[in-house]
């Protein structure tokens, strides 16, 4: 009876302990068969963006843009939403937001934005870049520039977007277009005109008094 009891307890403990291991092992087999992610794919999982380095039987290794590795259980890829940026192809759409000052020529703004995308060597011509007039903001006229690129890493995408912003800044300077900044207009609604008085500065007199007190103290 004692051996039966101990054997049953050990079996139950081993069963619970190996549940996660077995789950990850089966998930690894499914990943290798269905291939929702592959080695070299750029993926996003739980706010972690990186490239699939290796896929093992129990876990998968992800290398981030900061060049550190994250070991993720295989079951996480089947139980959570995974964004695979390069599953079907490596072409993605990017967006750059720009706000210009009120009074700026909107057609010219759209023309300069599209020019920046067209003249960048890594932006695809098909699909063609396009510009949307997004709306009238609190401090600016808001525009959105969309363009397509081919990427393998997230840093490559950020570098291209940075290049586009440098080009937009230069083209706007040449065209006399001002990029907006936060500002506020204050309007005073009063019954009678405001009374403005100029007060004389009291600093010199205060300095003389302080010097006199210092001399008395020294004496």
């Amino acid at each position: 009876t004692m051996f039966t009891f101990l054997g049953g307890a050990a079996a139950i403990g081993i069963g619970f302990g190996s549940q996660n291991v077995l789950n990850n092992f089966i998930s690894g087999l499914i990943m290798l068969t269905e291939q929702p992610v592959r080695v070299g794919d750029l993926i996003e999982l739980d706010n972690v963006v990186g490239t699939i380095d290796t896929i093992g039987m129990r876990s998968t290794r992800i290398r981030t843009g900061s060049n550190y590795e994250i070991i993720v259980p295989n079951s996480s890829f089947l139980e959570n939403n995974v964004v695979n940026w390069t599953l079907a192809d490596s072409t993605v759409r990017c967006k750059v937001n720009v706000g210009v000052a009120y009074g700026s020529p909107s057609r010219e703004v759209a023309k300069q934005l599209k020019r920046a995308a067209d003249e960048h060597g890594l932006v695809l011509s098909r699909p063609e870049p396009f510009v949307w007039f997004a709306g009238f903001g609190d401090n600016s006229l808001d525009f959105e520039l969309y363009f397509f690129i081919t990427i393998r890493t997230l840093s490559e995408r950020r570098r291209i977007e940075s290049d586009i912003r440098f080009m937009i800044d230069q083209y706007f300077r040449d065209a006399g277009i001002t990029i907006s900044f936060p500002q506020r207009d204050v309007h005073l609604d009063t019954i009678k005109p405001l009374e403005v008085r100029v007060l004389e500065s009291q600093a010199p007199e205060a300095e003389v008094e302080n010097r006199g007190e210092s001399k008395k103290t020294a004496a």
Side-chain angles (χ1 to χ4, degrees), residues 53-125:
D53 203 2
T54 58
I55 300 177
M57 298 304 297
R58 189 191 66 84
S59 62
T60 297
R61 185 177 301 172
I62 301 174
R63 186 179 298 275
T64 66
S66 301
N67 200 32
Y68 61 85
E69 296 177 338
I70 301 177
I71 299 175
V72 181
N74 289 333
S75 59
S76 299
F77 290 91
L78 302 181
E79 296 173 356
N80 301 295
N81 294 328
V82 180
V83 179
N84 192 333
W85 294 78
T86 56
L87 178 61
D89 56 54
S90 56
T91 301
V92 297
R93 189 180 74 174
C94 302
K95 180 178 73 170
V96 172
N97 297 320
V98 180
V100 299
Y102 274 92
S104 302
S106 57
R107 297 292 182 183
E108 182 64 21
V109 172
K111 177 182 177 181
Q112 297 298 331
L113 290 175
K114 190 174 184 302
R115 175 190 172 191
D118 290 336
E119 294 183 359
H120 194 284
L122 298 179
V123 174
L124 301 179
S125 58

Side-chain angles (χ1 to χ4, degrees):
T1 303
M2 181 61 66
F3 283 112
T4 303
F5 175 77
L6 293 177
I12 293 175
I14 294 174
F16 279 110
S18 61
Q19 182 178 1
N20 291 333
V21 176
L22 184 61
N23 185 21
N24 291 324
F25 177 77
I26 295 175
S27 299
L29 294 178
I30 296 175
M31 290 174 59
L32 293 175
T33 303
E34 296 184 355
Q35 294 186 337
V37 294
R38 299 160 299 183
V39 175
D41 283 351
L42 179 63
I43 62 102
E44 180 177 354
L45 175 65
D46 292 337
N47 297 325
V48 175
V49 180
T51 304
I52 299 293
D53 203 2
T54 58
I55 300 177
M57 298 304 297
R58 189 191 66 84
S59 62
T60 297
R61 185 177 301 172
I62 301 174
R63 186 179 298 275
T64 66
S66 301
N67 200 32
Y68 61 85
E69 296 177 338
I70 301 177
I71 299 175
V72 181
N74 289 333
S75 59
S76 299
F77 290 91
L78 302 181
E79 296 173 356
N80 301 295
N81 294 328
V82 180
V83 179
N84 192 333
W85 294 78
T86 56
L87 178 61
D89 56 54
S90 56
T91 301
V92 297
R93 189 180 74 174
C94 302
K95 180 178 73 170
V96 172
N97 297 320
V98 180
V100 299
Y102 274 92
S104 302
S106 57
R107 297 292 182 183
E108 182 64 21
V109 172
K111 177 182 177 181
Q112 297 298 331
L113 290 175
K114 190 174 184 302
R115 175 190 172 191
D118 290 336
E119 294 183 359
H120 194 284
L122 298 179
V123 174
L124 301 179
S125 58
R126 292 289 182 272
E128 186 179 4
F130 59 93
V131 179
W132 283 352
F133 191 163
F136 299 92
D138 294 336
N139 305 293
S140 62
L141 303 176
D142 299 330
F143 291 82
E144 297 175 351
L145 170 63
Y146 290 90
F147 53 92
F148 293 82
I149 61 175
T150 301
I151 63 169
R152 297 302 301 177
T153 62
L154 183 62
S155 60
E156 185 178 0
R157 173 184 177 180
R158 294 176 63 88
R159 179 176 61 83
I160 294 175
E161 291 176 345
S162 177
D163 292 342
I164 294 292
R165 293 187 180 97
F166 278 119
M167 297 172 67
I168 290 173
D169 181 65
Q170 183 61 47
Y171 292 165
F172 279 10
R173 290 176 185 270
D174 296 340
I177 300 173
T178 303
I179 297 179
S180 66
F181 54 88
Q183 54 185 320
R184 292 289 182 270
D185 295 334
V186 179
H187 300 273
L188 300 177
D189 187 6
T190 59
I191 299 177
K192 60 180 181 179
L194 295 177
E195 181 180 357
V196 179
R197 294 183 297 174
V198 179
L199 300 178
E200 296 182 358
S201 176
Q202 302 296 328
E205 297 179 2
E207 291 180 359
V208 172
E209 293 177 0
N210 291 334
R211 291 176 182 175
E213 293 177 0
S214 298
K215 292 181 179 179
K216 293 178 180 180
T217 303

